[in-house]
Amino acid sequence: MPPGLLHQQVSSALANWQLDTAETLLREIDGELPPAPADDRPAPPLTSLARAWADTLRAELLVRRLRRAGYSLLGDPLVEGGPEQEGPLDLHGPVGAPGEAVDRDSRSESATHAALAISLVRSARAAFDAQDDDLQRAAGLARHARIELLSRRVDAAMDEAVEAASLLDPALPPSPLLVHTLSSLAAVLADLELMPLALDYQRRAADVTAEAIGAAGTDSEAGSVDALAGEAATRLAALCAEVGEGLLDDGGADAAAPHFAEARDLAVRALGQLPPGVPGLLDAQVVHGWALVGLGEHAAARSLLTSVVRAASSVEDRALLASAELGLGRALRRSGDPRAADDHLATALATATEHGLPRLRRAALRELCTLHAELDDAARALPYLQAYLADELDRVDERRTRWVELFGRRKSLLETERAAGQLRRQAYEDPLTHLPNRRYAEARLDGLLSAGAVPALAVVDVDRFKAINDAAGHPTGDAVLRAVGQLLVDGCRDTDEVCRWAGDEFVILLPDTTSEQAERAMERIRRSIAAHDWSALGVEVPVRISVGIAQAARGDDRRTLFAAADGVLYDAKRAGRDRVVRLSGVTQTRAADAAPTTIDGQVAEALPAIDPSPAADDAGPVEATEHAPTPPPVRDVTASPLPEEDDEQPADATGGFAPLLVEPTAEELAVQEPAVEAPDVEPPARTGSPLDELFGGPSAGRRLESAEPAAPVVSPSPSPAPMIDVPALTTGPDVIWGTGRSTEQVLALVREARREHPQHPAVVVRASADTLVALATEHDAYTTMDAAAMSAAVGPVPEPVGRVGVLCASSGDTPIAAEAAFVARVTGTEVVRVDDVGGNRIRPLLTDRSLLTDVDCLVVVAGLDAALASVVSGLTEVPVVAVPTSAGQGASSFGGFSALLTMLNSAAPGVVVSNIDNGWSAGVFAARIARRTASLPS
């Protein structure tokens, strides 16, 4: 039942407190609606607009009955000295359905009405919220605000009105429902004493009707629109007259005159638009009489309002009657007939009080108080004054409550805005350097590329940062990172953006910049960092950076562009560090028949040392200095000649750097000519590291130069000899212990390990959950993770060769067993894990002997059941690696020493014992046995 004729009939009955008539009309409406769901089955979601409006009007009916009984919607008493002496209503008793017989006891009946009204309001609100039509939702909210005002819940009415106003888009097309909603909202705002806002919304309603008149087609449409426009003009004229009376009472006659004049003009226009016989005609006449009274035309106002009073008495419109009586009483008092005015004003007061019209009641009290004061009748003026002051005090209390609530809401809003700003900073700012972080860099780079820009990207890495941390400590290392970030910012333009990517790595976004321009800028920054006085921070080792640069091309996305820049960064590392390398623009779009051979699939150009003066920006090719380091010899390198202008090059369907990131095929490798090297030249000594000593040197075909770059040696032989490859040692993955290290430290160690040993993964064990998430975020698809083992592997995991079985004695040993299984898997074996086989739970192993025989090595992890390793060794010929754990019953386990001694003192053959809780070593050892066993000829 959206707003229409029937809605107007029910609303009119409710406004005149003809509650029985309204209930009869609502029962007729209920007969036209679909039946409500029975109690024995769940009610479907209420989305019927007709049901929502019917529930809204029925809720208003119940609230008005509660108001008559002296209670609010929530069951609180409203009238002092009345039912509040018995306390609030009990709203938790049984609730009857609409129309169902209820207990005639006043409190029980009122409690039933209150509970049912609350239920109807909630269901109607849910139905309005389910509507896609914002205008219907706004209309329902404005009506609900009226219900809240009837129950004197000013704060709830304000919330409903604000939400309704937010849904009334100025672009909504003209319609009767829009006019009705704007007028209803204006009436609510007027009752909330927000008269300027009420005038604004009622003016908008009048403007909408004017637009509708211009768009009307047929005469019938024009007639209905004229009537709607007349009603809107009447309501606007009433608000103008009320504002004028308020100004006049405060002594501002000159300020009130324009409002009365506007009210008169609007009323005259409404009288011309409304057809004869409609109820709105009397409203327009009352407003016209009010305007005439305000303008001092008392005689004309008396004649008009007298006829309206007689007509209003016959139509039983109480609000109309109270307004007419009030206007007539004013006209009589101001024209010098106080005795006649007293009767009309008293009638207006009684009618307004009975029908809950607070604004008319206050106006009538003020007029009566003024009237008897003018007659020097203090005895009669005093009661009216006291009642008027009581109403004003109630208004003051309401205003105070409203201001307190407004203060709380404003404070909460500011706190929310402040918290949102902090969250934004935390989301996009690195806490150590206060530079934008990786998340911001990715979003910014995506935005630039999606907008069609071709920025340059520089990836900056601090050389040998782990050595700085080891030599000066992590606090000093943090200070170095902050200083490097500041030097990067100082060396860039305002349009460039420096972001901390992760660990000791930064990225710089250079919009509208070629790779050559970026190369010159990064070289200046590199020299400034190298020349910086780091001793002030307590750093004795030199701080240097390596930079890889790539420029975006058509078809590039963020991942492709970063992979290209990161790839040439590795070239800078291989070439000796402390240098800037950019990706050659020649190979960004390859010809199909002339694909150049490159280092790692790319052509990288190392920038020699140049003059750091600003003039270098505009200089041409820069000559190498005398002490420029010579890059080490690499094999299979050919030139990348520029194509001739007349040569046709087929367009790259993919575009950008994507073809450069694909590994060369076997056919491409087969046609490459072997690289040559002088036969008598002794290879330079390579620098060692603890990782090299533990796990072997670099992969075959790679050379690491000495700490001091060697001068190039020219071979005296005219015919070059082929380079001899030195086979690298086969090693397992690098291990990084997360215990006692922060997430940033672990990330830095992983990156260093990946640079030093890219051919096998870097394994992080005993890591925190935050560290695992950071690893997965930074390395994405290159991370293999096991949450149970609290471990992760970053890098290529070899194909599984051989099979390892991991047996876990009890649930307390599960973390170490999971660690051993994970390490064995990333070392390159297939892993079968069986948990909880200690004590008398060994039966699964006895039932399925394949768990003991179809593997190349067994890892037995046990704490309390340390004898399990000896038992398993007696059941199979497979070598066993025993891992004692510290899981035990308090001090009796001696931190795992009890289990360790039990395993060491076992007489069972074929058992080796690792250290306590050392799943890592057990997993690597078992995987090596399995891989070697599986590779032997059968």
Side-chain angles (χ1 to χ4, degrees), residues 7-38:
H7 179 279
Q8 291 177 2
Q9 293 176 353
V10 178
S11 298
S12 177
L14 291 173
N16 293 313
W17 293 85
Q18 300 169 357
L19 305 185
D20 293 336
T21 303
E23 187 165 5
T24 301
L25 291 171
L26 285 172
R27 285 176 181 172
E28 294 178 2
I29 294 171
D30 288 339
E32 299 175 0
L33 294 174

Side-chain angles (χ1 to χ4, degrees), residues 199-537:
L199 281 170
D200 289 342
Y201 279 95
Q202 193 58 57
R203 288 187 195 279
R204 182 179 169 189
D207 294 340
V208 170
T209 57
E211 295 178 15
I213 291 175
T218 62
D219 293 339
S220 60
E221 290 179 356
S224 61
V225 172
D226 284 342
L228 189 65
E231 294 176 2
T234 299
R235 291 191 177 96
L236 180 57
L239 291 176
C240 290
E242 190 171 350
V243 171
E245 284 294 340
L247 294 173
L248 194 61
D249 290 339
D250 293 338
D254 294 338
H259 293 281
F260 286 123
E262 183 180 5
R264 179 189 58 191
D265 296 341
L266 289 169
V268 171
R269 189 175 72 187
L271 290 171
Q273 292 173 327
L274 291 169
V278 298
L281 195 61
L282 293 177
D283 291 323
Q285 290 174 351
V286 169
V287 174
H288 190 200
W290 276 35
L292 292 175
V293 172
L295 292 172
E297 302 177 16
H298 301 136
R302 290 175 57 180
S303 174
L304 177 61
L305 290 172
T306 300
S307 62
V308 174
V309 167
R310 286 195 296 266
S313 301
S314 61
V315 298
E316 298 184 354
D317 188 337
R318 301 298 94 183
L320 175 64
L321 179 60
S323 298
E325 293 279 8
L326 177 62
L328 183 56
R330 278 176 177 162
L332 292 170
R333 181 183 71 81
R334 295 176 186 178
S335 62
D337 191 356
R339 302 298 177 186
D342 190 9
D343 295 336
H344 291 287
L345 291 174
T347 302
L349 175 61
T351 305
T353 303
E354 179 184 0
H355 291 84
L357 304 171
R359 287 151 54 200
L360 290 176
R361 182 177 185 274
R362 284 194 299 272
L365 285 171
R366 186 181 181 102
E367 289 291 338
L368 284 167
C369 181
T370 304
L371 172 67
H372 291 291
E374 291 174 349
L375 295 175
D376 293 330
D377 190 353
R380 296 192 62 184
L382 183 60
Y384 295 124
L385 178 61
Q386 290 174 337
Y388 179 78
L389 292 177
D391 275 7
E392 286 296 318
L393 288 176
D394 288 342
R395 293 171 65 191
V396 171
D397 289 340
E398 289 180 0
R399 289 171 184 163
R400 184 182 297 111
T401 302
R402 202 174 306 161
W403 278 110
V404 170
E405 182 183 359
L406 181 61
F407 176 83
R409 290 184 181 182
R410 180 60 179 166
K411 178 174 176 291
S412 177
L413 178 61
L414 290 176
E415 290 174 350
T416 302
E417 291 177 351
R418 190 177 299 111
Q422 292 176 353
L423 288 176
R424 282 192 295 269
R425 285 193 296 272
Q426 292 174 4
Y428 291 108
E429 183 180 281
D430 174 59
L432 177 63
T433 62
H434 299 293
L435 294 173
N437 60 9
R438 175 175 179 169
R439 184 181 291 109
Y440 174 85
E442 290 177 342
R444 178 64 175 148
L445 196 54
D446 285 337
L448 289 172
L449 294 174
S450 62
V454 284
L457 177 68
V459 181
V460 182
D461 186 86
V462 181
D463 295 334
R464 306 189 188 280
F465 184 69
K466 183 177 182 298
I468 298 174
N469 271 338
D470 293 342
H474 291 289
T476 302
D478 292 344
V480 168
L481 289 178
R482 286 191 291 268
V484 169
Q486 187 59 48
L487 289 171
L488 292 174
V489 172
D490 293 342
C492 291
R493 304 167 299 181
D494 293 339
T495 56
D496 302 333
E497 296 180 272
V498 180
C499 308
R500 187 185 179 197
W501 189 257
D504 57 345
E505 193 166 81
F506 300 82
V507 296
I508 303 177
L509 310 180
L510 300 104
D512 302 323
T513 306
T514 64
S515 59
E516 292 82 2
Q517 293 170 334
E519 183 180 32
R520 291 193 293 269
M522 291 302 104
E523 176 60 21
R524 284 200 308 272
I525 294 175
R526 183 195 68 80
R527 287 181 169 272
S528 69
I529 291 176
H532 186 72
D533 182 14
W534 296 101
S535 61
L537 296 178

Side-chain angles (χ1 to χ4, degrees), residues 131-145:
Q131 298 295 320
D132 294 332
D133 189 348
D134 287 345
L135 183 55
Q136 287 287 353
R137 291 176 59 198
L141 289 168
R143 191 76 190 202
H144 281 219

